[in-house]
Amino acid sequence: MKNFTLIYVASIIGLTPPLFAAEVQFDDVIKNPSRFNHQRVTVTGLAEVQGDTFDLWRDARACKEVDNKHYMFVAQHFPAGARRNPCEYANLHFVKVTGFIETSIHGHLGMDPCSLVLEHVEVLPGPRLKQFLPILGFFRNETVKKINLRAYWRGHDGTSSFGIPPGNIDCFAIEKGRVEATTVNDKTFAQCELIPPRLIDQFYDRQTKAYYFRISENRIEPVLPQNARGWNRGYMSGRD
């Protein structure tokens, strides 16, 4: 389904000549998508670009509350060899998005009434809404062996697992809960709480919205942000 969507998107963008795009209200499209089907429109909203997805919210409140009644999926065509989303610069900015409304494309999960097939994104003046960025945890494996991390999130079911070779750093969004370090044979040898209590909030990097942790042979311990400045954190779009 995803490959078909990308081919379909490419055909629309590649074969359709430039035309005038009517600027329409976000809610008008969501309430009656068939009225705008196959039409080239411009819609204003708050962009949330993560990985290979582009979600458009009517406003900040809809984004905060994950209000799917005021949400639109933006279908993108990725250039060959792209390693990152070409629209990530727009993440958590208010934008004007121009493209075609297609009721035959039902979002990345196949349940949306329509999608907007992207042609152009214009970032509107104003700061990035960093309050919606998730808090990241950076974990550096300072042991001599490959380890696994298993995170348990408080308040909802499910866990997340990550493998880290010796000397490497892994990063993922964290919330309240705990993380355990295990051997490749699934034997737990260290654990710690996530997110640290406010009493030790000096470990929180407010600029990047992140915590840093080192994993030794018998413990996981937080690292002060100034002591993690030399860490290779990788690409940090929208955080530096």
Side-chain angles (χ1 to χ4, degrees):
M1 178 62 184
K2 187 173 183 180
N3 289 337
F4 170 77
T5 299
L6 291 179
I7 293 171
Y8 185 52
V9 169
S11 68
I12 292 174
I13 294 176
L15 299 179
T16 305
L19 298 172
F20 172 76
E23 189 160 345
V24 300
Q25 295 297 312
F26 193 104
D27 282 351
D28 289 346
V29 176
I30 294 302
K31 291 177 181 178
N32 191 5
S34 60
R35 171 187 168 192
F36 300 94
N37 195 32
H38 305 315
Q39 292 188 33
R40 188 170 184 259
V41 301
T42 296
V43 180
T44 298
L46 176 62
E48 185 178 23
V49 184
Q50 301 183 75
D52 61 355
T53 63
F54 187 147
D55 297 325
L56 190 67
W57 303 93
R58 185 185 66 177
D59 49 33
R61 180 176 179 178
C63 181
K64 179 180 179 180
E65 298 178 355
V66 194
D67 181 0
N68 291 324
K69 293 182 179 179
H70 298 105
Y71 154 84
M72 193 181 305
F73 177 75
V74 179
Q76 299 173 258
H77 173 62
F78 282 69
R83 301 184 63 183
R84 296 193 294 266
N85 193 315
C87 291
E88 64 184 13
Y89 64 90
N91 185 38
L92 297 178
H93 281 287
F94 282 99
V95 296
K96 284 189 175 183
V97 181
T98 298
F100 286 86
I101 299 298
E102 293 295 331
T103 58
S104 62
I105 303 177
H106 300 288
H108 63 292
L109 296 179
M111 297 183 293
D112 300 330
C114 68
S115 294
L116 192 157
V117 179
L118 179 65
E119 282 195 321
H120 177 70
V121 180
E122 176 189 351
V123 175
L124 298 177
R128 189 189 307 271
L129 274 62
K130 286 190 174 184
Q131 65 267 33
F132 294 120
L133 287 170
I135 295 175
L136 297 179
F138 289 86
F139 298 84
R140 187 165 72 175
N141 180 6
E142 297 185 356
T143 74
V144 296
K145 56 184 179 293
K146 181 178 180 179
I147 64 172
N148 293 325
L149 284 182
R150 183 178 295 120
Y152 299 87
W153 310 127
R154 190 176 303 159
H156 58 83
D157 295 333
T159 63
S160 300
S161 299
F162 310 86
I164 314 177
N168 283 28
I169 297 171
D170 200 1
C171 167
F172 52 91
I174 64 174
E175 51 188 286
K176 289 184 178 180
R178 76 180 193 279
V179 64
E180 296 180 351
T182 70
T183 65
V184 292
N185 296 322
D186 207 33
K187 181 180 179 181
T188 300
F189 64 88
Q191 62 180 321
C192 76
E193 289 295 310
L194 300 174
I195 298 171
R198 294 193 63 83
L199 286 176
I200 53 172
D201 209 36
Q202 70 267 27
F203 291 106
Y204 181 50
D205 183 344
R206 290 172 176 79
Q207 174 64 29
T208 304
K209 293 194 70 174
Y211 286 101
Y212 307 92
F213 301 87
R214 60 185 298 270
I215 305 168
S216 62
E217 295 294 338
N218 57 9
R219 67 175 59 187
I220 304 173
E221 56 186 350
V223 176
L224 292 169
Q226 59 266 33
N227 293 337
R229 286 174 183 164
W231 289 18
N232 180 12
R233 299 179 301 174
Y235 184 66
M236 296 290 292
S237 174
R239 289 182 181 264
D240 293 332

